């Protein structure tokens, strides 16, 4: 299997000397030797970063409550599709199924994950697959921290907006070169400080549109870290929104060690299709009863703490999980976005 660096070098040669940053990101993350294709550790407690589902089962338990409400809103259909994209090792699926929602008898859970090694860890009771199922879907498509990993174009302001391409120096080091685009994307501000950078997230916008087109009746439910506007991000130091992660910490520069670290860009809400109801993750979890679940957990622990069983230990952990999930300086600040099809709201 070629390494990500080998694939990128070959692509640069085939393109005559440089490829768009979006293609570099695609190969670094999803090529044959890419981070998500081969790593098998992303999103796991022993892996390169921890997401909300890995904090504990409480996140999935809250989502299960929302799924029940939306299933009933649709008239409690005999088949209720739940399609999770970027499912990793299946941690969120496992938590949702363990919560035993009322809709579980009708639920057809599909876990979509590109990594073969991650799919091998998916729980029983789900359809595990590499690609999105064909529509139409009656139910919910959901994803946690997916859009930030979809390849984006990168623009740099150098008296005018120029697009960043990736080339390779004589010593093999990947370097950035700037090219004047035929058309400057309309989402970019007219002017910006010299050296400002901004992502153009065509792939993320396309993914949302395609997902919505596959939903006959239901919702698209996303969690990610976002910025309200591209103009705002152009004024923000790029290292604050274009990041790499490895071994549960920040990685090195995005042009070094491709395939060995995650590359992630903050999601621009103004570049996504309109119509989403947006709130913070903390607000979403509060709306769907996280406080009630914590009280339930505390009460169960108090009744069992003299001779605690496994269930009591899980219930006891809810309080700590909730603090992490709704932390206003951490995961709680993540954006929750919900698009509804047809008459749902």
């Amino acid at each position: 299997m070629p390494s990500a660096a080998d694939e990128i070098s070959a692509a640069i040669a085939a393109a005559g000397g440089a490829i768009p940053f979006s293609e570099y990101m695609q190969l670094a993350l999803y090529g044959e030797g890419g981070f998500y294709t081969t790593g098998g550790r992303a999103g796991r407690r022993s892996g390169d970063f921890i997401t909300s589902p890995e904090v504990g089962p409480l996140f999935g338990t809250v989502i299960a409550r929302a799924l029940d409400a939306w299933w009933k809103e649709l008239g409690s259909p005999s088949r209720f599709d739940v399609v999770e994209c970027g499912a990793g090792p299946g941690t969120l699926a496992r938590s949702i199924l363990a919560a035993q929602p009322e809709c579980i008898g009708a639920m057809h859970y599909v876990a979509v994950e590109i990594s073969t090694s991650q799919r091998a860890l998916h729980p029983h009771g789900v359809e595990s697959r590499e690609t999105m199922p064909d529509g139409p879907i009656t139910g919910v498509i959901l994803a946690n921290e997916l859009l930030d990993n979809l390849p984006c174009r990168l623009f740099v302001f150098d008296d005018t907006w120029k697009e960043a391409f990736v080339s390779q120096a004589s010593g093999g080091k990947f370097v950035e070169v700037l090219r004047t685009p035929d058309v400057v994307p309309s989402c970019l501000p007219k002017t910006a400080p010299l050296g400002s950078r901004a992502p153009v997230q065509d792939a993320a916008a396309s993914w949302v549109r395609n997902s919505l087109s596959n939903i006959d009746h239901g919702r698209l439910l996303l969690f990610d870290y976002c910025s309200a506007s591209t103009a705002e991000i152009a004024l923000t130091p790029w290292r604050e929104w274009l990041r790499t992660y490895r071994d549960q910490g920040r990685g090195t520069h995005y042009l070094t060690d491709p395939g060995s670290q995650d590359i992630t860009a903050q999601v621009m809400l103004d570049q996504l299709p309109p119509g989403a109801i947006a709130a913070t993750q903390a607000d979403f979890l509060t709306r769907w009863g996280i406080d009630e679940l914590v009280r339930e957990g505390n009460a169960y622990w108090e009744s069992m703490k003299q001779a605690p069983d496994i269930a009591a230990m899980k219930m006891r952990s809810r309080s700590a999980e909730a603090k992490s999930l709704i932390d206003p300086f951490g995961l709680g600040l993540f954006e929750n976005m919900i698009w509804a099809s047809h008459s749902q709201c």
Side-chain angles (χ1 to χ4, degrees):
M1 179 184 296
S3 69
D6 290 340
E7 289 184 272
I8 292 166
S9 296
I12 289 172
I19 57 175
F21 175 78
S22 56
E23 186 175 350
Y24 169 87
M25 188 173 174
Q26 171 70 32
L27 292 171
L29 296 181
Y30 305 108
E32 286 188 58
F35 177 79
Y36 282 102
T37 310
T38 62
R41 301 190 308 153
R44 296 167 62 184
R45 284 189 175 272
S46 60
D48 293 275
F49 54 86
I50 297 298
T51 62
S52 292
E54 276 72 36
V55 169
L58 184 58
F59 185 70
T61 303
V62 177
I63 290 179
R65 291 167 68 106
L67 293 177
D68 266 343
W70 296 334
W71 173 62
K72 292 174 184 177
E73 186 181 83
L74 292 174
S76 303
S78 59
R79 172 165 168 150
F80 183 63
D81 298 309
V82 177
V83 181
E84 182 193 352
C85 304
T91 306
L92 180 56
R94 199 171 283 107
S95 296
I96 289 173
L97 295 176
Q100 289 289 299
E102 293 180 57
C103 64
I104 196 166
M107 185 185 294
H108 177 227
Y109 201 109
V110 180
V112 182
E113 171 56 45
I114 192 173
S115 168
T116 302
S117 58
Q118 295 273 48
R119 290 199 305 275
L121 300 171
H122 287 177
H124 294 295
V126 308
E127 178 188 344
S128 179
R129 53 185 295 151
E130 183 178 356
T131 59
M132 284 283 286
D134 296 328
I137 289 168
T138 296
V140 176
I141 296 176
L142 66 91
N144 181 68
E145 293 192 58
L146 172 70
L147 298 187
D148 62 281
N149 288 126
L150 296 183
C152 61
R153 292 191 287 163
L154 182 61
F155 283 77
V156 181
F157 194 79
D158 184 22
D159 289 330
T160 183
W161 285 107
K162 295 182 179 179
E163 185 170 358
F165 280 66
V166 177
S167 185
Q168 195 164 22
S170 56
K173 180 181 178 181
F174 295 116
V175 294
E176 189 175 85
V177 294
L178 300 182
R179 293 182 176 178
T180 302
D182 293 333
V183 178
V184 174
S186 59
C187 62
L188 296 172
K190 299 298 183 184
T191 188
L194 189 67
S196 295
R197 291 169 174 256
V200 173
Q201 297 171 319
D202 309 305
S206 178
W207 188 90
V208 170
R209 283 193 298 269
N210 290 339
S211 296
L212 289 172
S213 71
N214 281 334
I215 299 174
D216 186 24
H217 296 282
R219 285 173 170 79
L220 173 61
L221 171 67
L222 304 180
F223 298 89
D224 226 313
Y225 61 98
C226 303
S227 178
S229 73
T230 310
E232 173 186 311
I233 216 69
L235 300 176
T236 304
W238 66 266
R239 286 179 175 81
E240 294 183 17
W241 57 263
L242 179 59
R243 308 165 186 160
T244 62
Y245 289 95
R246 176 167 42 201
D247 297 327
Q248 299 187 34
R250 293 293 287 269
T252 56
H253 191 278
Y254 53 81
L255 292 183
T256 64
D257 301 323
S260 69
Q261 59 184 353
D262 186 25
I263 304 174
T264 174
Q266 198 153 319
V267 179
M268 304 294 106
L269 291 176
D270 63 327
Q271 295 186 31
L272 299 180
I277 297 174
T280 65
Q281 175 170 297
D283 287 340
F284 174 88
L285 296 176
T286 300
R287 176 185 178 187
W288 291 107
I290 193 171
D291 293 334
E292 179 184 344
L293 289 168
V294 169
R295 288 193 295 270
E296 176 186 90
N298 290 339
Y300 188 87
W301 168 253
E302 286 298 321
S303 69
M304 296 291 293
K305 66 181 181 181
Q306 298 305 318
D309 55 12
I310 293 177
M313 298 303 293
K314 289 181 179 179
M315 287 292 197
R316 185 189 187 190
S317 73
R318 282 185 176 180
S319 180
E321 290 175 44
K323 288 180 181 178
S324 179
L325 292 170
I326 65 175
D327 179 2
F329 301 103
L331 292 172
L333 192 59
F334 276 39
E335 201 79 14
N336 161 243
M337 297 159 281
I338 304 174
W339 286 262
S341 71
H342 297 290
S343 60
Q344 280 75 48
C345 60

